[in-house]
Amino acid sequence: MANNIGSVSESDLVSRRQKLRLQRRLKLLVIVWQVLAVGGLGAALLWAITQPIWLITKQEQLTVEGNQLLSDRAILSLISLDYPQSLWVIKTQILAQNLESQSPIAKARISRRLFPPSLNIKIIERRPVAITQFKNQVGINNSQKMGWLDTHGNWIPLESFSALERTGSLPTLKVIGFTGQYRQYWHSLYQSLSRSPVKVFEINWQDPGNLILTTELGIVHLGPYSSRFSEQLNVLDRMRELPNKIDVRQMAYINLKNPDSPLIQLPNKFKAIKIQSN
């Protein structure tokens, strides 16, 4: 009886070993099949994306959205792209970052389209709010260049908007003496100006100690730009009846350096009239 048990047990072990070998072989076949399938799929994809149908061969395959001031041609001229190039190889994020580094573009997003193969460019422009002669204080000689300012004080070259189809949307506000040191104040200053009912035509910032505005009420001296700028504009707004009280042609400028005590400076520098701003 013992021999029979030993014989059966040994046969059973042999059978189990054979089953294990078979299972390992099947697992190996599955792995080999998966590797071949993935490799085949990868090769098929590689073949597919290298076909001419997925190539960007000309600028006409680039479309632009979101532009209101800049023409499509002006935006496309800012994109550096060699043709032909595979749609899948183009680094859209880098192209978008390069666009955003250009002065007229605030934000850019570039996406691929498969049918037909193309690139879609969505942008947000920097909207010019004033024209200025920017002083580049580098080196011995200070150079000056005409350009635009957006609401955050970013300088945009004048030629950026030369191809505008709707030139009526360009600003008329002029800024004189704008330099990089004023950029930190510009957004707040411009927001206050845009809310003021008094029309401002020109901002003269050549003297840091005296900000001068040319307004519909005349020339206004404000002293150095400060947190009281909005208050000074409010006082100016309350002086709208000034032309009915005095002959503004005899006025040199309105002195609002102290908004609590506005003055009318007469041509004679020693004569000034204190007025009530109501």
Side-chain angles (χ1 to χ4, degrees), residues 192-261:
S192 297
L193 276 184
S194 62
R195 291 190 295 265
S196 174
V198 179
K199 180 68 175 178
V200 177
F201 306 105
E202 182 180 282
I203 301 171
N204 189 326
W205 221 335
Q206 295 183 92
D207 180 3
N210 188 22
L211 181 64
I212 301 175
L213 306 181
T214 300
T215 76
E216 60 181 307
L217 298 180
I219 296 175
V220 183
H221 288 209
L222 302 175
Y225 176 77
S226 70
S227 59
R228 302 193 72 181
F229 182 71
S230 294
E231 181 184 350
Q232 290 169 313
L233 292 180
N234 289 335
V235 172
L236 187 63
D237 182 40
R238 295 197 295 269
M239 298 170 65
R240 284 183 171 275
E241 297 301 319
L242 188 62
N244 297 328
K245 298 179 180 179
I246 65 171
D247 185 356
V248 293
R249 293 174 298 180
Q250 302 299 319
M251 178 181 70
Y253 60 86
I254 300 172
N255 187 337
L256 288 181
K257 294 180 179 180
N258 180 3
D260 297 325
S261 181

Side-chain angles (χ1 to χ4, degrees), residues 5-263:
I5 294 174
S7 176
V8 172
S9 298
E10 185 176 350
S11 298
D12 187 45
L13 288 173
V14 171
S15 176
R16 289 180 180 178
R17 291 192 191 100
Q18 290 175 343
K19 288 181 179 180
L20 288 173
R21 290 192 192 100
L22 181 60
Q23 289 176 353
R24 284 196 291 268
R25 287 172 184 170
L26 288 174
K27 287 182 179 178
L28 181 60
L29 287 174
V30 169
I31 292 173
V32 171
W33 181 86
Q34 289 175 338
V35 170
L36 291 175
V38 171
L41 181 60
L45 287 174
L46 180 62
W47 175 84
I49 65 178
T50 55
Q51 296 308 297
I53 191 175
W54 302 116
L55 290 179
I56 300 295
T57 60
K58 53 187 178 180
Q59 196 177 71
E60 285 71 21
Q61 290 174 264
L62 278 60
T63 59
V64 181
E65 294 182 15
N67 52 319
Q68 297 178 345
L69 301 178
L70 293 165
S71 66
D72 290 1
R73 181 178 296 181
I75 295 169
L76 293 176
S77 70
L78 301 176
I79 296 178
S80 177
L81 188 63
D82 296 326
Y83 303 99
Q85 195 164 156
S86 170
L87 180 66
W88 308 102
V89 174
I90 296 173
K91 295 179 174 59
T92 55
Q93 187 173 359
I94 293 178
L95 281 181
Q97 290 173 350
N98 290 340
L99 262 183
E100 291 173 358
S101 68
Q102 306 293 329
S103 299
I105 310 298
K107 294 288 182 182
R109 185 163 64 92
I110 301 178
S111 57
R112 300 179 181 89
R113 285 180 176 173
L114 302 183
F115 303 104
S118 58
L119 292 177
N120 179 249
I121 304 161
K122 292 185 178 180
I123 68 160
I124 298 176
E125 301 164 315
R126 298 190 190 279
R127 297 191 66 85
V129 296
I131 188 169
T132 186
Q133 192 171 43
F134 185 81
K135 290 184 177 180
N136 183 21
Q137 296 179 327
V138 178
I140 299 176
N141 298 320
N142 296 339
S143 62
Q144 296 187 0
K145 299 182 293 183
M146 293 300 296
W148 307 100
L149 291 177
D150 71 357
T151 57
H152 293 280
N154 295 298
W155 187 81
I156 306 168
L158 189 67
E159 61 272 14
S160 297
F161 299 101
S162 60
L164 277 177
E165 297 177 1
R166 299 176 294 277
T167 56
S169 59
L170 288 176
T172 57
L173 177 64
K174 184 178 181 181
V175 182
I176 300 174
F178 188 86
T179 63
Q181 64 178 319
Y182 297 137
R183 183 179 175 183
Q184 59 182 315
Y185 309 119
W186 175 254
H187 181 68
S188 176
L189 182 150
Y190 180 74
Q191 291 302 313
S192 297
L193 276 184
S194 62
R195 291 190 295 265
S196 174
V198 179
K199 180 68 175 178
V200 177
F201 306 105
E202 182 180 282
I203 301 171
N204 189 326
W205 221 335
Q206 295 183 92
D207 180 3
N210 188 22
L211 181 64
I212 301 175
L213 306 181
T214 300
T215 76
E216 60 181 307
L217 298 180
I219 296 175
V220 183
H221 288 209
L222 302 175
Y225 176 77
S226 70
S227 59
R228 302 193 72 181
F229 182 71
S230 294
E231 181 184 350
Q232 290 169 313
L233 292 180
N234 289 335
V235 172
L236 187 63
D237 182 40
R238 295 197 295 269
M239 298 170 65
R240 284 183 171 275
E241 297 301 319
L242 188 62
N244 297 328
K245 298 179 180 179
I246 65 171
D247 185 356
V248 293
R249 293 174 298 180
Q250 302 299 319
M251 178 181 70
Y253 60 86
I254 300 172
N255 187 337
L256 288 181
K257 294 180 179 180
N258 180 3
D260 297 325
S261 181
L263 300 171

